[in-house]
Amino acid sequence: MITQQDFMIISVMLFCIGVFIIVSKKNAIQVLIGIELMLNAAILNLVAFGKLDRANNGGQVFALFAIVLAAATTAVALAIILNVYRRYKTIDPDKINQLKD
């Protein structure tokens, strides 16, 4: 049987992998993937702790709300990355230092 501690260990591992990707990668899409991994770790925590609250299901409702927000922010971030690529022909955040008109 999967215990609460197993959920926490997987969540911490996902979060640490996400932080490592954000710190180490220089590609904007890979940074976005790291952010998504960190959001998934937080959502896993919400669902794991929501399992303990069987009366209100607050964890599951908030996790569903977080999934919808993560999908919306990913769509906006990809649109921004595509526009930056069209203008600068790169998605390396270090090479894009002039974000003015």
Side-chain angles (χ1 to χ4, degrees):
M1 180 155 169
I2 299 175
T3 63
Q4 189 77 16
Q5 184 179 5
D6 296 332
F7 283 116
M8 296 301 109
I9 291 170
I10 292 172
S11 179
V12 166
M13 288 181 357
L14 275 176
F15 193 83
C16 289
I17 291 170
V19 168
F20 176 74
I21 289 173
I22 289 174
V23 170
S24 67
K25 300 298 180 182
K26 297 204 182 265
N27 189 340
I29 294 177
Q30 291 174 343
V31 170
L32 186 63
I33 290 171
I35 292 170
E36 287 296 320
L37 280 174
M38 291 171 60
L39 282 172
N40 285 334
I43 291 169
L44 181 63
N45 271 334
L46 289 172
V47 171
F49 282 112
K51 186 175 119 176
L52 299 176
D53 181 24
R54 299 196 188 273
N56 295 331
N57 291 329
Q60 282 85 0
V61 172
F62 194 68
L64 183 62
F65 182 68
I67 290 169
V68 170
L69 282 177
T73 56
T74 302
V76 170
L78 283 175
I80 291 170
I81 289 171
L82 286 174
N83 284 332
V84 166
Y85 180 74
R86 276 191 209 135
R87 181 171 175 122
Y88 296 103
K89 302 295 184 216
T90 184
I91 53 175
D92 186 4
D94 291 334
K95 292 182 181 176
I96 303 167
N97 56 5
Q98 298 175 349
L99 290 177
K100 59 183 176 181
D101 254 338

